[in-house]
């Protein structure tokens, strides 16, 4: 297992890829290239514990500072890759330096989508993607600050919870009738809307922004103008309207790119010596029978083990079910599974929806596709087994908390 593996992208997915290679006995050269100057870190704390001040900064890093040298990983931070030369098997960085590879792993992640309205470039309009972004937000979220959060996805709602905990006045602007509607459907999205309103959030749905208005100094945000002409005075605008996979390098190199880098179950792209992991990987899922791209922590954490296995010649396709979690106010939640383009027939709730202590199951033709446990713990393994079984489950037994989940199989 000689040669050289180059990993482009020094986030969680990149760091776990080089870790996976060394754990599997790969003794060739390993190079990890990252644009940021921070060593690899995880992103969930940036909008959760670290942003709220309950977690330490060092807890976000994937490995201790000396881990990379100790494992003979050539970690090059502050290095932006400019292009990929698949013919020569080189990556070319911003300084023109070429680094050769026998296998290349793309772990370039995603970047926040930007608002396309006048004033979007004013000071005080911020996004949350990097550790530096989270550091900045921590200093800005102080008691009495007026904050407008644009977007009702996971990041937007988690930042909202952190801002309310810091004593800020918060308005959340959502284009849809409910936050998280596209992810959870109306049955469960309403629960999150109620949660935020009960915690003092000014949640505005079916709302569009026409402009971000400058304050008197002309450089800093002073208000947000809505499409109906309403002005919301504000000190800070946090934009959380989703993210786009960073696929420019792959596309320019001629790899198959379609809503991400298209890869097989072993994470191999259209070039078998080039793999992709994490946010950018649209991977064929053996259980689901389709290509899936998931922008969540669990993919970045777990896909690299399969990529490392592929590089060393092992047959370990990636077949873990999509998983994500959130913490907002007094609500903790885990979600596992995949509804897919065909949608669902119904949501079955086991437990107390009003009290927010429940398991919700998304079903199609009697089979459980996905499930979400809210303030109910230690059930994810049983839920995954139920989804993987493909069993048709009786509605009443599924809804009955007195029926243990393993007995549904």
């Amino acid at each position: 297992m000689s040669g050289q593996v180059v990993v482009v992208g020094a986030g969680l997915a990149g760091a776990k890829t080089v870790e996976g290679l060394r754990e599997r006995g790969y003794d060739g050269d390993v190079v990890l290239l990252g644009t940021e100057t921070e060593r690899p870190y995880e992103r969930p704390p940036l909008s959760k514990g670290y942003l709220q001040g309950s977690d330490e900064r060092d807890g976000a890093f994937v490995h201790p500072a000396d881990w990379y040298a100790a494992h003979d990983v050539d970690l090059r931070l502050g290095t932006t890759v400019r292009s990929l030369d698949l013919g020569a098997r080189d990556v070319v960085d911003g300084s023109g330096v070429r680094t050769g590879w026998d296998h290349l792993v793309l772990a370039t992640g995603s970047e926040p989508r930007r608002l396309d309205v006048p004033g979007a470039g004013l000071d005080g309009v911020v996004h949350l993607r990097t550790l530096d972004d989270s550091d900045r937000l921590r200093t800005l979220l102080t008691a009495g600050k007026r904050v407008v959060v644009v977007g009702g996805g996971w990041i937007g709602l988690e930042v909202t919870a952190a801002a309310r905990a810091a004593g800020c006045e918060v308005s959340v602007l959502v284009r849809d009738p409910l936050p998280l509607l596209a992810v959870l459907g109306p049955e469960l999205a309403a629960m999150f809307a109620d949660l935020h309103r009960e915690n003092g959030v000014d949640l505005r749905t079916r709302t569009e922004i026409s402009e971000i208005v400058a304050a008197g100094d002309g450089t800093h945000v002073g208000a947000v103008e809505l499409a109906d002409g309403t002005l919301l005075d504000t000190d800070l605008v946090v934009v959380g309207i989703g993210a786009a996979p960073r696929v420019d390098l792959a596309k320019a190199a001629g790899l198959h790119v379609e809503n991400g880098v298209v890869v097989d179950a072993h994470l191999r792209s259209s070039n078998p010596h080039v793999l992709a992991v994490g946010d950018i990987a649209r991977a064929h899922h053996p259980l689901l029978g389709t290509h899936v791209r998931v922008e969540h922590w669990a993919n970045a954490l777990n896909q690299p083990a399969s990529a490392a296995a592929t590089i060393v010649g092992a047959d370990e396709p990636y077949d873990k079910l999509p998983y994500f979690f959130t913490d907002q106010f007094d609500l903790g939640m885990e979600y596992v599974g995949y509804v897919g383009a065909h949608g669902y027939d119904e949501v079955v709730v086991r437990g107390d929806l009003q009290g927010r202590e429940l398991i919700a199951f998304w079903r199609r033709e009697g089979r459980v596709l996905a499930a979400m446990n809210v303030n109910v713990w230690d059930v994810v393994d049983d839920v995954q087994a139920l989804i993987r079984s493909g069993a048709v489950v009786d509605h009443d037994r599924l809804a009955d908390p007195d029926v243990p989940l393993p007995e549904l199989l």
Side-chain angles (χ1 to χ4, degrees), residues 1-9 14 17-18 21 26-33 84-91 99-107 255 264 266-277 304 306-314:
M1 291 184 289
S2 60
Q4 179 155 282
V5 176
V6 172
V7 181
V8 179
T17 298
V18 300
L21 288 167
Y26 183 82
D27 57 6
D29 295 331
V30 176
V31 181
L32 178 57
L33 305 173
L84 312 175
D85 187 335
L86 301 187
R89 292 194 185 179
D90 284 337
V91 299
T99 302
W101 47 268
D102 296 280
H103 282 91
L104 174 66
V105 181
L106 300 177
L255 297 174
D264 64 15
H266 294 83
L267 290 313
R268 292 176 296 224
S269 74
S270 52
N271 181 314
H273 296 281
V274 181
L275 295 83
V277 293
S306 289
T310 298
I311 290 171
V312 302

Side-chain angles (χ1 to χ4, degrees), residues 206-245:
R206 296 186 173 93
T207 300
E208 299 273 358
I209 296 175
S210 61
E211 184 176 354
I212 299 177
V213 182
D217 62 6
T219 62
H220 194 277
V221 62
V224 173
E225 182 177 351
L226 307 184
D228 64 4
T230 301
L231 277 178
L232 298 178
D233 292 336
T234 189
D235 305 301
L236 178 68
V237 175
V238 182
V239 180
I241 55 174

Side-chain angles (χ1 to χ4, degrees), residues 121-333:
L122 290 170
D123 290 341
V125 178
V126 301
H127 301 78
L128 178 55
R129 180 64 185 173
T130 68
L131 191 51
D132 284 346
D133 292 338
S134 191
D135 285 336
R136 182 184 180 196
L137 261 180
R138 277 168 60 107
T139 65
L140 293 173
L141 297 180
T142 56
K145 274 281 185 70
R146 299 166 301 177
V147 180
V148 171
V149 176
V150 183
W154 299 114
I155 294 294
L157 296 185
E158 289 172 0
V159 170
T160 297
R164 287 297 295 144
C168 299
E169 301 174 15
V170 186
S171 296
V172 177
L173 310 181
V174 184
R175 298 177 65 176
D176 291 330
L178 290 166
L180 303 171
L181 183 61
V183 181
L184 302 180
E187 301 89 348
L188 276 300
M191 178 180 66
F192 283 88
D194 292 343
L195 171 71
H196 281 260
R197 286 182 171 130
E198 290 171 15
N199 281 277
V201 175
D202 173 25
L203 175 62
R204 302 188 181 212
T205 58
R206 296 186 173 93
T207 300
E208 299 273 358
I209 296 175
S210 61
E211 184 176 354
I212 299 177
V213 182
D217 62 6
T219 62
H220 194 277
V221 62
V224 173
E225 182 177 351
L226 307 184
D228 64 4
T230 301
L231 277 178
L232 298 178
D233 292 336
T234 189
D235 305 301
L236 178 68
V237 175
V238 182
V239 180
I241 55 174
R246 291 188 173 116
V247 295
D248 288 350
L249 284 172
K251 192 171 183 178
L255 297 174
H256 184 189
V257 173
E258 185 178 349
N259 183 27
V261 180
V262 179
V263 295
D264 64 15
H266 294 83
L267 290 313
R268 292 176 296 224
S269 74
S270 52
N271 181 314
H273 296 281
V274 181
L275 295 83
V277 293
D279 288 3
I280 67 166
R282 183 164 169 253
H284 186 269
H285 197 286
L287 176 66
L288 302 174
T290 188
H291 282 80
V292 178
R293 188 176 71 83
V294 180
E295 293 177 358
H296 289 296
W297 162 86
N299 257 31
L301 179 72
N302 296 314
Q303 274 187 344
S306 289
T310 298
I311 290 171
V312 302
D315 181 14
E316 296 181 21
Y318 184 75
D319 64 354
K320 290 184 180 295
L321 289 169
Y323 166 91
F324 60 90
F325 68 99
T326 191
D327 297 300
Q328 300 172 33
F329 302 110
D330 60 352
L331 183 151
M333 178 276 275

Side-chain angles (χ1 to χ4, degrees), residues 50-84:
Y50 179 63
L51 183 61
Q52 294 193 24
S54 58
D55 293 344
E56 295 296 326
R57 195 175 194 273
D58 280 353
F61 292 106
V62 182
H63 299 116
D66 60 357
W67 185 92
Y68 300 93
H71 290 81
D72 198 21
V73 173
D74 181 3
L75 176 61
R76 303 180 194 173
L77 299 176
T79 302
T80 299
V81 173
R82 187 177 67 199
S83 63
L84 312 175

